[in-house]
Amino acid sequence: MSLVVAVQMDPLDAINIAGDSTFALMLSAQARGHRLFHYAPEDLNYSDGRVWTRAHPVSVQRVEGNHFRFEDPVSLDLGEEADVVLMRQDPPFDLGYITATHLLERIADRTLVVNDPANVRNAPEKVFVLDYAEFMPPTLVTRSLDEARAFLAKHGEIVIKPLHGNGGKAIFKVGSDGANLSSLIEVFNTAWREPHMVQAFLPSVAQGDKRIVLVDGEIAGAINRIPGEGEIRSNLAVGGSAAKAELTEREKQICAALGPELKKRGLLFVGIDVIGGEWLTEINVTSPTGIVAIDRFNGTDTAALIWQAIERRVAERAA
């Protein structure tokens, strides 16, 4: 099965090919005989039921500084000329991101969009996870300083982060004395109109924040991300380090609870974050990462698993 694959993503010249999950997916697709096109989300167009974009046919290779080659751009009708759209641009999950999901939703009955655009829109990382509160640390969603103070008094130490943040950005720990809490809430309320996420601080974060990848609802692998010296954040983008990981029984229980719902929603490539082997903090559906590190530690091929799931979905839709 040879597919036409349109990859909606950030500029290719800016990626780190050593660890970029989208690049790994593109390499795998190319090796399987699929034809690749690259475009940016801001290049989407709509008229009379059609969604199209200016896209570059592209080939990729794992050569630093010479990792892709564009052909002349073409007008690509995503509903008629593409078999698969990979929605892989990085957050922020802003109105631009949301608008792209609305446009792609209009061709999702004809072209497989991964992940499903309507369900990406309806499952923000730190909001969707609230459906699984039984696995989460104590959590408050608020803009209120008084509520945050009461939560701090109850839990001793807390972490505050943007509800739609990504990559470990703007995550702050507040100690039991509450120093800077009012200033932080003031800054957060100025920067963001939506509420913020406040959670009980988990000392077990020092043992790592595990990224577990699920493909079509099934566990594909995991890595443990260890915070850097003097850090509470373990994201690799902010200095965390990766280590080989095995899943705890609690983590397997979490995956078993999530898996059927992810599959039903068309959330085919998902990365969940679990702290200390037991506390679920995020369900990442917009542009999950981590498969390169997982495969390096485990000798697996997660990109191939994802393409097998995509090809299976395409075949089922065509039947």
Side-chain angles (χ1 to χ4, degrees), residues 63-79:
V63 178
E64 189 68 52
N66 186 29
H67 54 279
F68 71 97
R69 183 174 66 83
F70 278 163
E71 298 177 26
D72 292 337
V74 299
S75 178
L76 184 68
D77 187 318
L78 296 178

Side-chain angles (χ1 to χ4, degrees), residues 176-299:
S176 57
D177 61 0
N180 294 321
L181 177 59
S182 61
S183 296
L184 273 176
I185 293 295
E186 179 182 331
V187 169
F188 271 49
N189 283 352
T190 301
W192 294 285
R193 294 184 64 186
E194 64 269 18
H196 325 300
M197 179 166 274
V198 185
Q199 291 183 317
F201 174 68
L202 303 173
S204 56
V205 72
Q207 304 165 23
D209 180 356
K210 202 169 292 181
R211 164 56 57 90
I212 306 170
V213 167
L214 295 98
V215 175
D216 212 11
E218 301 292 333
I219 297 168
I223 53 167
N224 198 24
R225 301 170 299 178
I226 311 297
E229 185 69 29
E231 269 283 2
I232 62 167
R233 302 176 299 171
S234 56
N235 306 69
L236 302 185
V238 294
S241 59
K244 186 176 174 62
E246 301 294 334
L247 297 192
T248 65
E249 288 306 311
R250 165 83 165 187
E251 288 165 338
K252 292 175 184 176
Q253 182 185 4
I254 292 170
C255 292
L258 268 62
E261 184 65 17
L262 300 178
K263 187 179 182 73
K264 184 177 79 173
R265 289 180 178 231
L267 298 172
L268 193 149
F269 176 14
V270 173
I272 69 170
D273 296 337
V274 181
I275 290 177
E278 58 178 327
W279 298 110
L280 176 67
T281 58
E282 292 189 19
I283 304 172
N284 297 276
V285 304
T286 49
S287 184
T289 61
I291 66 173
V292 176
I294 287 171
D295 291 344
R296 183 169 66 247
F297 283 111
N298 297 338

Side-chain angles (χ1 to χ4, degrees), residues 6-317:
V7 186
Q8 177 177 299
M9 66 178 293
D10 301 312
L12 269 169
D13 56 4
I15 65 172
N16 173 14
I17 67 170
D20 190 271
S21 293
T22 306
F23 188 73
L25 286 169
M26 294 174 75
L27 283 171
S28 183
Q30 184 174 269
R32 300 172 79 85
H34 303 323
R35 189 178 182 201
L36 295 171
F37 292 81
H38 173 279
Y39 73 94
E42 56 267 26
D43 291 330
L44 288 170
N45 307 283
Y46 170 87
S47 181
D48 297 328
R50 295 177 58 241
V51 177
W52 75 95
T53 184
R54 180 179 180 272
H56 288 271
V58 61
S59 58
V60 289
Q61 59 181 356
R62 195 174 287 285
V63 178
E64 189 68 52
N66 186 29
H67 54 279
F68 71 97
R69 183 174 66 83
F70 278 163
E71 298 177 26
D72 292 337
V74 299
S75 178
L76 184 68
D77 187 318
L78 296 178
E80 300 298 330
E81 298 174 324
D83 299 298
V84 179
V85 172
L86 292 184
M87 191 167 58
R88 290 289 304 172
Q89 79 268 27
D90 289 339
F93 190 70
D94 55 12
L95 282 174
Y97 212 116
I98 290 168
T99 300
T101 69
H102 280 294
L103 293 176
L104 291 177
E105 186 180 2
R106 279 154 174 75
I107 54 99
D109 60 333
R110 290 164 282 161
T111 300
L112 179 67
V113 183
V114 179
N115 285 321
D116 178 82
N119 280 295
V120 165
R121 185 173 65 247
N122 292 333
E125 339 282 44
K126 297 182 184 68
V127 179
F128 181 27
V129 71
L130 300 177
D131 289 354
Y132 300 92
E134 68 269 29
F135 299 117
M136 294 181 68
T139 297
L140 169 71
V141 178
T142 190
R143 288 175 61 87
S144 166
L145 175 59
D146 288 342
E147 296 294 345
R149 280 176 169 157
F151 190 82
L152 174 64
K154 181 176 181 179
H155 296 288
E157 295 180 303
I158 60 174
V159 170
I160 305 176
K161 49 191 173 182
L163 195 64
H164 298 299
N166 70 293
K169 301 181 185 73
I171 298 177
F172 294 89
K173 178 185 174 186
V174 177
S176 57
D177 61 0
N180 294 321
L181 177 59
S182 61
S183 296
L184 273 176
I185 293 295
E186 179 182 331
V187 169
F188 271 49
N189 283 352
T190 301
W192 294 285
R193 294 184 64 186
E194 64 269 18
H196 325 300
M197 179 166 274
V198 185
Q199 291 183 317
F201 174 68
L202 303 173
S204 56
V205 72
Q207 304 165 23
D209 180 356
K210 202 169 292 181
R211 164 56 57 90
I212 306 170
V213 167
L214 295 98
V215 175
D216 212 11
E218 301 292 333
I219 297 168
I223 53 167
N224 198 24
R225 301 170 299 178
I226 311 297
E229 185 69 29
E231 269 283 2
I232 62 167
R233 302 176 299 171
S234 56
N235 306 69
L236 302 185
V238 294
S241 59
K244 186 176 174 62
E246 301 294 334
L247 297 192
T248 65
E249 288 306 311
R250 165 83 165 187
E251 288 165 338
K252 292 175 184 176
Q253 182 185 4
I254 292 170
C255 292
L258 268 62
E261 184 65 17
L262 300 178
K263 187 179 182 73
K264 184 177 79 173
R265 289 180 178 231
L267 298 172
L268 193 149
F269 176 14
V270 173
I272 69 170
D273 296 337
V274 181
I275 290 177
E278 58 178 327
W279 298 110
L280 176 67
T281 58
E282 292 189 19
I283 304 172
N284 297 276
V285 304
T286 49
S287 184
T289 61
I291 66 173
V292 176
I294 287 171
D295 291 344
R296 183 169 66 247
F297 283 111
N298 297 338
T300 49
D301 189 348
T302 307
L305 289 178
I306 293 168
W307 281 110
Q308 288 167 17
I310 290 171
E311 291 161 0
R312 185 167 61 248
R313 289 284 183 105
V314 171
E316 289 170 354
R317 288 158 64 106

